[in-house]
Amino acid sequence: MVDTHHGHKPRTPASHRSRRWFMNKALLTGGVSAVAIMGGYAAASAGAEESTTADATASASPSGPPSGGGFGQTIAYDDFVGVTTDGTVVDDLYAIHSTGVSTTPVIRAATAFLDSLTDDQKAATLFEVDSDQWLDWTNIDSNDRDGVALRDLTEKQYALGMKLLRASLSARGLKQSNSIRKLNQFLGEYSGDTTKALNEDAYWFTVMGTPSATEAWGFQFEGHHLVINYFVLGGQVVMTPTFMGSEPTKITYDGTDYHLFREETAAGLKLLRSLNSVQLATALSTETKAGTNLVAGAGQDNAVLPYAGVQASDLNRRQQQLLLDLVEVYVGYQDEGHARVRMREIEKHLDDTYFYWIGEYEDDSAFYYRVHSPVVLIEYDAESPLAYHEDDDSSGSASPSASATTTASASPGGGGPGAQGDPTQQHIHTIIRTPNGNDYGVDLLKLHLETDH
């Protein structure tokens, strides 16, 4: 076992959190300069010339921000409330219980990975179980991250890190994560720079607490378009928030055909198309699809988001099953046993689950949808291009000469395309959360400390 206190770090300083605030805000506004988004904080700190739009972005409004949601602001762990519908947490939703599913494989994998690290690597990677580090994540391509990066690991350490992901995720989840990383490499080659955060190994591990069969602990795997938060307490697992995205999503690269988020897209369309005219009128927003509509992304841990759309209690049995099938696409990225546990939790609140849609619903339409209940929040958002433009490189092969051109103004919120043009299925962001206080396993940790200590 590893001594967490050896690598304990103080709470994230305000200066660090403010950097994440700027980057998260830039992400949510949708249309930003190449330096602000495609170079991330790392590009600026490396001496890249900042455009005036980075400052303009900081005052732009995002499309569809949650009222009182803490716009893009990374908060401290002690200030965490979680996503709510009105600012008030619904109590007694979560409990410490036996799942009948072992967490031994992930405990062993995490322990082996940590044991392989040097003292300096452990010092950078280990945090207390209630650390601000949990909340200090971003999905943009930044090198401003804590922990140990895949690119800095030895071959043995790298293999053990991958074994930890394999133990935590389903086969489908591991494939999705690896594909996201691979297309991040493509994007670096396409943009002409793989030396910073646009490569498949610019992903960081941090571990909170000590891997244990009885005590709470967890890890975070974080990089561009991929953030996995994995909390463990006994046989219970909370794998939220998990952010997955990609630009592009459909391409042939390095001899392999990729089509990410095909299941998420198809399952959403299938459910929507099953609705009758009355249900459809309730599910569909009158809002025009914007360049970005994601609400509960990075820096939105305390988002206030009222229910919207059609309620599952107004769906027939087949439609309710299609809704559960859609949820399972996202839940099914974690290991199969704990995914089943999670689905049972979600099914208990099926009648109080809402399905909401913005945009058209043709096969190739760019749209946004949301599944929202007391215990799950899922968002899917087809967004405006930021770095990849199909017109530049229709063959799908990476070329430095085909680097992306981005404009300098941010998109106003509330409708219309982003500054980079119409939203497209070639740039998709998704997130799954556990509302009412149990993202990062916070509610379970509180219960654990109250009842077992």
Side-chain angles (χ1 to χ4, degrees):
M1 291 294 182
V2 208
D3 179 8
T4 345
H5 297 283
H6 177 275
H8 171 63
K9 288 188 176 182
R11 298 280 189 196
T12 307
S15 60
H16 191 157
R17 292 201 296 270
S18 67
R19 290 201 298 270
R20 286 291 175 86
W21 170 83
F22 171 80
M23 291 187 294
N24 294 338
K25 194 164 188 177
L27 167 74
L28 288 168
T29 51
V32 292
S33 70
V35 168
I37 280 292
M38 291 320 301
Y41 175 77
S45 61
E49 181 180 356
E50 296 187 36
S51 71
T52 56
T53 57
D55 295 330
T57 300
S59 61
S61 298
S63 58
S67 59
F71 172 51
Q73 179 69 58
T74 300
I75 58 174
Y77 190 95
D78 290 344
D79 296 328
F80 173 82
V81 174
V83 176
T84 61
T85 59
D86 60 3
T88 303
V89 174
V90 178
D91 293 326
D92 301 322
L93 289 172
Y94 311 106
I96 296 173
H97 61 92
S98 172
T99 63
V101 182
S102 175
T103 53
T104 298
V106 72
I107 294 168
R108 288 177 176 169
T111 301
F113 173 66
L114 290 174
D115 286 346
S116 75
L117 302 182
T118 67
D119 288 346
D120 286 345
Q121 288 172 324
K122 288 177 184 175
T125 303
L126 289 166
F127 294 81
E128 297 289 348
V129 71
D130 59 349
S131 171
D132 292 353
Q133 177 62 32
W134 280 117
L135 288 74
D136 191 27
W137 61 269
T138 178
N139 54 279
I140 75 167
D141 55 313
S142 167
N143 280 330
D144 182 30
R145 303 179 193 271
D146 292 310
V148 60
L150 291 178
R151 64 187 175 205
D152 296 326
L153 298 177
T154 66
E155 185 176 345
K156 178 184 177 182
Q157 291 170 334
Y158 193 105
L160 289 170
M162 291 298 101
K163 189 173 182 180
L164 173 55
L165 290 181
R166 193 176 302 112
S168 309
L169 305 176
S170 64
R172 186 164 60 87
L174 185 63
K175 180 181 179 181
Q176 175 90 330
S177 300
N178 288 340
S179 295
I180 290 170
R181 294 195 300 115
K182 195 68 176 179
L183 292 192
N184 195 46
Q185 177 77 29
F186 163 82
L187 197 58
E189 295 177 18
Y190 174 85
S191 301
D193 187 1
T194 61
T195 63
K196 300 182 180 71
L198 293 181
N199 62 76
E200 63 184 307
D201 291 333
Y203 293 84
W204 282 254
F205 277 108
T206 50
V207 176
M208 277 59 82
T210 301
S212 167
T214 56
E215 296 301 314
W217 69 282
F219 72 90
Q220 186 178 80
F221 186 68
E222 179 193 11
H224 184 219
H225 278 150
L226 178 62
V227 182
I228 298 170
N229 289 285
Y230 199 94
F231 173 87
V232 182
L233 176 61
Q236 293 179 263
V237 165
V238 178
M239 201 178 96
T240 64
T242 288
F243 182 104
M244 292 185 176
S246 188
E247 185 187 22
T249 61
K250 184 179 181 181
I251 200 165
T252 299
Y253 171 56
D254 203 19
T256 300
D257 293 332
Y258 292 90
H259 191 173
L260 277 65
F261 304 104
R262 178 166 46 188
E263 291 181 88
E264 290 87 342
T265 301
L269 286 168
K270 189 172 184 178
L271 173 58
L272 189 81
R273 291 169 178 173
S274 76
L275 303 182
N276 63 37
S277 58
V278 175
Q279 294 166 331
L280 194 62
T282 306
L284 283 178
S285 172
T286 57
E287 180 182 346
T288 302
K289 177 71 181 78
T292 175
N293 291 91
L294 196 79
V295 175
Q300 292 285 8
D301 285 307
N302 284 355
V304 175
L305 182 60
Y307 292 131
V310 62
Q311 190 171 356
S313 58
D314 293 327
L315 303 180
N316 63 38
R317 186 169 298 179
R318 175 178 173 271
Q319 292 168 330
Q320 288 182 346
Q321 185 57 55
L322 290 175
L323 176 57
L324 290 173
D325 291 344
L326 172 57
V327 172
E328 199 279 330
V329 173
Y330 294 84
V331 172
Y333 284 132
Q334 69 185 104
D335 70 275
E336 290 85 350
H338 289 101
R340 289 193 296 270
V341 173
R342 177 73 163 130
M343 287 302 299
R344 288 197 296 269
E345 177 182 67
I346 293 167
E347 287 173 22
K348 290 178 181 177
H349 299 272
L350 180 58
D351 282 349
D352 296 321
T353 303
Y354 291 76
F355 179 60
Y356 179 63
W357 190 282
I358 301 175
E360 301 299 323
Y361 39 94
E362 299 300 323
D363 287 352
D364 59 352
S365 296
F367 49 78
Y368 165 94
Y369 67 71
R370 180 164 75 231
V371 176
H372 191 185
S373 87
V375 297
V376 70
L377 171 63
I378 292 168
E379 293 186 277
Y380 167 109
D381 193 25
E383 306 199 340
S384 291
L386 279 178
Y388 175 76
H389 298 265
E390 289 183 285
D391 292 343
D392 292 341
D393 188 21
S394 59
S395 68
S397 59
S399 168
S401 64
S403 61
T405 56
T406 54
T407 60
S409 61
S411 162
Q420 305 306 306
D422 292 332
T424 168
Q425 286 187 22
Q426 283 286 36
H427 187 193
I428 291 174
H429 286 184
T430 70
I431 192 164
I432 179 169
R433 284 184 175 271
T434 307
N436 292 298
N438 208 31
D439 271 338
Y440 316 102
V442 173
D443 194 68
L444 286 184
L445 179 60
K446 289 178 180 177
L447 290 171
H448 175 62
L449 295 177
E450 290 170 1
T451 59
D452 298 344
H453 289 73

